[in-house]
Amino acid sequence: MARGTLREAPRSDKNGNAELLQAAAECFMEQGFHATSIDDVARRLGATKGRVYHYYRSKTDLFFDVHREGMRRNFEAVRPVVRGPDKGGVRLRAMFLRHALSMMENLAFETVVVQGVHMHRLAATTPEQRRVLNELMTIRNDFEALFKSVAYEGVEDGSIKAPDVSIAIKAALGALNWICIWYRPRTGETEDDRLILAEKIVDTIMHGLAAEAE
Amino acid sequence: MARGTLREAPRSDKNGNAELLQAAAECFMEQGFHATSIDDVARRLGATKGRVYHYYRSKTDLFFDVHREGMRRNFEAVRPVVRGPDKGGVRLRAMFLRHALSMMENLAFETVVVQGVHMHRLAATTPEQRRVLNELMTIRNDFEALFKSVAYEGVEDGSIKAPDVSIAIKAALGALNWICIWYRPRTGETEDDRLILAEKIVDTIMHGLAAEAE
DNA sequence: GTCTATATACTGATAGAC
DNA sequence: GTCTATCAGTATATAGAC
């Protein structure tokens, strides 16, 4: 594994072999990182190992790139609604909604991101791989911080309340990330169906389960 | 894997080698099912493979038994508060609280349960193993159904409201199960610390993030 | 760029000593 | 009941043909 000589930049071109990333994401989603062999990924591509190893030096590097792409999509989904004239509570709700939709529409990539969070403290990585993993975790933390900062703005302007904002965000993101455990697209499902589902989830997060009456 | 001859009952004694289960749970939590070798489990026990294989016929069987024990603890934790004179909302809150505490106190086992849910549709199991896995999923569904039924009672008595009770429960359990991703016991942590943390999470679930004022 | 070997290593599971 | 070999299968990664 760890060699004396350290090669330079990974083979992966920035352009990105989108097809390869997608195939890998699907395999990792269905079988998990360790149970997925490079042959599995290649087979799904209708190719052989050679093609995969031409772009990625190792299975771990491939996994990391899928993870990175998943996080890129996460940011892309919520970024447009982070800032704006609305109160913090309104913007936070919009962010939750977009994240929920992103979970459903990028199910394979999102599942890999969740797995990646799980692998955080995993051993068996080279120093270089650990560096990349730490970088990915920083990105993940920044993502969570984005929600937190908007939530705090909501507390300031009176549109958000919580016993502990940091914990509340963890709970809310937990509810959303959990989507990738139970959600599976039904045949013939429309974008509207997903929106309705996302609204129900986000409403629950925003208003809770307790009836106001008490 | 699949043999012509089918052996009878698994070697595992019902008494349960608690020490073995605990060691396995910890390994599975830290490295996941596939990355954990039987040698890892044995090493943690200060023993060798022989001991493990004396009790379990395969790594999968061992994993399933850890999973089963995790679910047993889940039921044990919430069962005392499912029924009672209180309104549905009050009982549901108590169930959430106990589940949250159970997540923290049985972190290793709970993490395995979460992994097990993930493995649901995984291939590469013998017919017998698939039978056991289905049984475990049924148990898991029953657990979720327990929360749902109390939530419906709450809707009836006016103490619970949600746009969709089934979805709301999935969201709430997602927030709670997600605990095993980010929670790690701090040194010197007391039971009270955990209770405070659990209360914050459950309050968020019950009352949401939106300020009532609107 | 992609394929076909192939080296190398690991690990799940078994057999049999003690 | 636990340990020490050991086998067999599989998977990562490489080398080199095309």
Side-chain angles (χ1 to χ4, degrees), chain A:
Chain A
M1 315 288 171
R3 311 270 164 53
T5 62
L6 217 62
R7 301 192 196 163
E8 19 268 274
R11 284 177 201 149
S12 149
D13 306 341
K14 280 292 178 289
N15 73 0
N17 198 326
E19 205 184 358
L20 207 171
L21 278 184
Q22 179 67 33
E26 288 168 11
C27 289
F28 289 142
M29 169 178 67
E30 290 172 11
Q31 319 196 49
F33 174 74
H34 283 99
T36 297
S37 72
I38 297 285
D39 281 320
D40 290 335
V41 177
R43 199 174 308 122
R44 184 166 296 234
L45 273 169
T48 64
K49 277 199 254 256
R51 176 151 167 211
V52 177
Y53 277 107
H54 178 74
Y55 291 99
Y56 292 94
R57 205 195 305 168
S58 74
K59 187 169 81 161
T60 306
D61 288 321
L62 173 58
F63 182 84
F64 285 164
D65 223 30
V66 175
H67 187 158
R68 196 193 307 274
E69 170 64 13
M71 285 309 303
R72 197 193 62 72
R73 296 187 188 193
N74 277 341
F75 274 103
E76 193 181 64
V78 304
R79 189 175 290 128
V81 296
V82 173
R83 300 288 155 217
D86 294 319
K87 282 194 171 187
V90 174
R91 281 177 285 138
L92 188 61
R93 187 187 190 286
M95 288 168 73
F96 285 153
L97 195 69
R98 280 171 169 260
H99 186 46
L101 286 170
S102 181
M103 290 298 299
M104 300 183 216
E105 282 156 13
N106 301 298
L107 195 57
F109 285 91
E110 302 288 0
T111 304
V112 169
V113 169
V114 169
Q115 278 182 63
V117 177
H118 230 124
M119 284 171 72
H120 186 190
R121 308 156 296 125
L122 243 69
T125 45
T126 68
E128 167 63 10
Q129 287 173 349
R130 177 141 290 278
R131 198 192 59 75
V132 174
L133 192 50
N134 284 336
E135 178 203 322
L136 287 167
M137 286 308 121
T138 302
I139 294 176
R140 172 98 215 155
N141 288 340
D142 290 348
F143 188 65
E144 191 170 323
L146 209 57
F147 285 84
K148 257 189 258 187
S149 70
V150 175
Y152 276 120
E153 289 167 24
V155 171
E156 295 287 318
D157 67 29
S159 60
I160 291 289
K161 62 146 220 311
D164 183 317
V165 169
S166 180
I167 298 294
I169 292 299
K170 278 191 191 307
L173 290 180
L176 294 176
N177 290 328
W178 197 250
I179 289 173
C180 73
I181 300 285
W182 56 266
Y183 168 80
R184 291 295 173 273
R186 288 160 307 187
T187 49
E189 185 179 86
T190 68
E191 209 178 317
D192 252 18
D193 292 331
R194 285 192 290 275
L195 186 61
I196 289 169
L197 182 55
E199 296 266 14
K200 285 177 179 172
I201 299 168
V202 174
D203 276 348
T204 302
I205 293 172
M206 293 304 286
H207 299 113
L209 282 154
E212 316 295 355
E214 178 73 349

Side-chain angles (χ1 to χ4, degrees), chain B residues 76-127:
Chain B
E76 192 181 65
V78 305
R79 190 175 290 127
V81 297
V82 172
R83 299 289 153 218
D86 294 318
K87 282 195 171 185
V90 174
R91 280 178 286 138
L92 188 61
R93 188 188 189 286
M95 288 168 72
F96 284 152
L97 196 68
R98 280 171 168 261
H99 186 45
L101 287 169
S102 182
M103 290 298 299
M104 301 183 216
E105 283 157 13
N106 302 299
L107 195 57
F109 285 91
E110 302 288 359
T111 305
V112 169
V113 169
V114 169
Q115 278 182 63
V117 177
H118 231 122
M119 284 171 72
H120 186 190
R121 309 155 295 125
L122 244 69
T125 44
T126 68

Side-chain angles (χ1 to χ4, degrees), chain B residues 42-178:
Chain B
R43 201 175 305 123
R44 185 167 294 236
L45 273 169
T48 63
K49 277 202 255 256
R51 177 152 165 212
V52 177
Y53 277 108
H54 178 74
Y55 290 99
Y56 292 95
R57 204 196 303 169
S58 73
K59 187 169 82 160
T60 305
D61 288 322
L62 173 57
F63 182 84
F64 285 164
D65 223 30
V66 174
H67 188 158
R68 196 193 307 275
E69 170 65 13
M71 285 308 303
R72 197 192 61 74
R73 296 187 187 194
N74 277 341
F75 274 103
E76 192 181 65
V78 305
R79 190 175 290 127
V81 297
V82 172
R83 299 289 153 218
D86 294 318
K87 282 195 171 185
V90 174
R91 280 178 286 138
L92 188 61
R93 188 188 189 286
M95 288 168 72
F96 284 152
L97 196 68
R98 280 171 168 261
H99 186 45
L101 287 169
S102 182
M103 290 298 299
M104 301 183 216
E105 283 157 13
N106 302 299
L107 195 57
F109 285 91
E110 302 288 359
T111 305
V112 169
V113 169
V114 169
Q115 278 182 63
V117 177
H118 231 122
M119 284 171 72
H120 186 190
R121 309 155 295 125
L122 244 69
T125 44
T126 68
E128 168 63 10
Q129 287 173 348
R130 176 140 292 277
R131 198 192 59 74
V132 175
L133 192 51
N134 284 335
E135 177 202 325
L136 286 168
M137 287 307 121
T138 301
I139 294 176
R140 170 99 215 155
N141 288 340
D142 289 349
F143 188 64
E144 191 171 322
L146 209 58
F147 285 84
K148 257 189 259 188
S149 70
V150 175
Y152 276 119
E153 289 167 25
V155 171
E156 295 286 317
D157 66 29
S159 59
I160 290 289
K161 62 147 219 316
D164 184 317
V165 169
S166 180
I167 298 294
I169 291 298
K170 278 192 192 304
L173 290 180
L176 293 176
N177 290 328
W178 196 251

